[in-house]
Amino acid sequence: MKSERVRCLFAAKLCESLNANEINFGIIHGAEDFPNTVGRDLDILVGHSDLGRAASVVSNVASGEGWGVLEAPMPWAGKPVIFWKLFDDSLLSFEMHFISKLEWAGIVLAELDQRDIRHHPNHNLPLAMEAGFAKRFLTQILAGCWSRMEERSHELYMRESEITFARKRIEFLFGSDLSGQLLGALSPPNINAIRKLAPAMRFSIMRRALLPGFPVEFSPKWIMGKLFRSLGIIDWKLPNIAIEAEHKADARKFLNDALTYLSFAKSMVIPNKRRSIKTRIKM
């Protein structure tokens, strides 16, 4: 279709403008089948300091090409820029979503890393491979978007070139124990098998998020609550937890104390039952 060709050329031009302005970036979704087709939006990782500049650069280029431009005020979606243009008596639209990190529950799944960038042999667009896997698969699994995954099951098929990057990202986020199980459930995709692994994935990543050096945005106290939910303890109450964990060293001590308690709490979980647990953990 002519409109698809126009969108592909436009996307390539915008990406060229980012390169020309020396903005490092990596596409994590929307360019899998480029240059034949391109998604209606491209999700793009950039450095935090480049968020505003990247949006400004592509906006200026698009305006010069006769496209309408709207920089949408959506803090939860980074810096989305929406473009539109009349083409053959219909409205042609395209979006770029600039983000500095890919997150789930405050835990950083991926950031821009030049070591993760690869260029497809058929085009010169920079693809962030590990981050792209995290976007297409891990965010959906961790969030429990099962209906969405079933509706878009064609997006779950991994290319051979993705498997190595997928394994590295899974091992970093969840540990090696879950790596083989998840890759087995993804190759080919088995949504029921993936769904069974989701609770263990949530528990593992939240536990690892308390370790020094792991990128996380929320406090250990907040993560502790999420851990209880991942265990199936829906009605969790921890009113007496006293935590001062401003530094990673404190978080490590908290982890040791917390996991001792969690081993006890997990043995108390009764499926499909609501349970309140009260305790006191002090640093």
Side-chain angles (χ1 to χ4, degrees):
M1 294 174 62
K2 289 184 178 180
S3 61
E4 189 62 46
R5 182 61 178 163
V6 169
R7 188 183 286 110
C8 285
L9 291 173
F10 180 57
K13 190 174 187 68
L14 295 180
C15 289
E16 287 171 6
S17 71
L18 295 173
N19 284 325
N21 284 271
E22 299 182 343
I23 296 176
N24 293 324
F25 68 101
I27 299 171
I28 58 176
H29 187 61
E32 292 81 11
D33 297 314
F34 191 88
N36 299 318
T37 62
V38 67
R40 293 189 179 276
D41 60 80
L42 287 183
D43 294 325
I44 300 176
L45 274 177
V46 298
H48 181 74
S49 61
D50 283 331
L51 271 175
R53 193 161 70 95
S56 178
V57 165
V58 296
S59 295
N60 290 337
V61 171
S63 296
E65 295 285 320
W67 288 72
V69 179
L70 173 64
E71 292 188 32
M74 301 178 187
W76 62 88
K79 275 279 189 181
V81 186
I82 303 170
F83 313 97
W84 70 90
K85 187 176 189 177
L86 285 175
F87 181 79
D88 286 347
D89 297 324
S90 63
L91 186 65
L92 184 63
S93 64
F94 180 68
E95 299 178 22
M96 279 187 160
H97 299 169
F98 294 103
I99 59 175
S100 61
K101 59 187 69 173
L102 187 66
E103 296 176 315
W104 171 77
I107 299 171
V108 180
L109 302 180
E111 294 179 281
L112 182 65
D113 185 344
Q114 291 302 310
R115 295 169 298 180
D116 185 31
I117 301 298
R118 298 293 184 276
H119 290 84
H120 194 281
N122 294 333
H123 59 78
N124 199 38
L125 299 188
L127 305 179
M129 300 299 290
E130 285 188 46
F133 169 77
K135 167 65 178 177
R136 286 175 56 206
F137 295 92
L138 300 184
T139 55
Q140 306 295 316
I141 296 170
L142 291 170
C145 299
W146 310 118
S147 296
R148 178 185 174 91
M149 292 175 70
E150 289 172 355
E151 291 170 2
R152 301 187 178 186
S153 58
H154 62 282
E155 293 185 359
L156 298 181
Y157 284 87
M158 275 196 300
R159 295 167 174 80
E160 191 68 28
S161 59
E162 289 182 286
I163 294 178
T164 299
F165 299 99
R167 187 183 301 278
K168 288 173 61 179
R169 183 57 32 173
I170 293 170
E171 290 182 352
F172 172 71
L173 294 172
F174 307 102
S176 57
D177 290 346
L178 280 172
S179 175
Q181 295 179 64
L182 184 55
L183 284 174
L186 287 170
S187 306
N190 182 329
I191 294 179
N192 287 332
I194 295 169
R195 191 167 186 167
K196 290 178 181 178
L197 289 173
M201 291 171 64
R202 295 187 191 106
F203 182 87
S204 177
I205 195 172
M206 288 173 184
R207 183 177 60 186
R208 288 168 67 81
L210 295 171
L211 296 171
F214 201 94
V216 61
E217 299 295 318
F218 288 89
S219 70
K221 182 176 181 180
W222 185 90
I223 295 172
M224 188 68 180
K226 289 289 185 179
L227 275 169
F228 273 93
R229 288 186 180 276
S230 74
L231 286 170
I233 304 170
I234 299 172
D235 187 18
W236 60 276
K237 296 179 180 179
L238 301 170
N240 296 319
I241 291 184
I243 301 166
E244 296 294 335
E246 297 296 326
H247 306 288
K248 292 295 185 179
D250 295 328
R252 180 186 287 264
K253 185 178 187 307
F254 169 76
L255 174 64
N256 291 333
D257 291 341
L259 290 182
T260 299
Y261 177 69
L262 282 173
S263 62
F264 161 74
K266 190 169 185 178
S267 67
M268 295 179 64
V269 174
I270 301 176
N272 302 319
K273 296 286 186 180
R274 297 178 66 85
R275 179 179 294 276
S276 298
I277 293 180
K278 297 180 180 180
T279 189
R280 178 184 296 272
I281 299 177
K282 289 187 176 180
M283 296 297 284

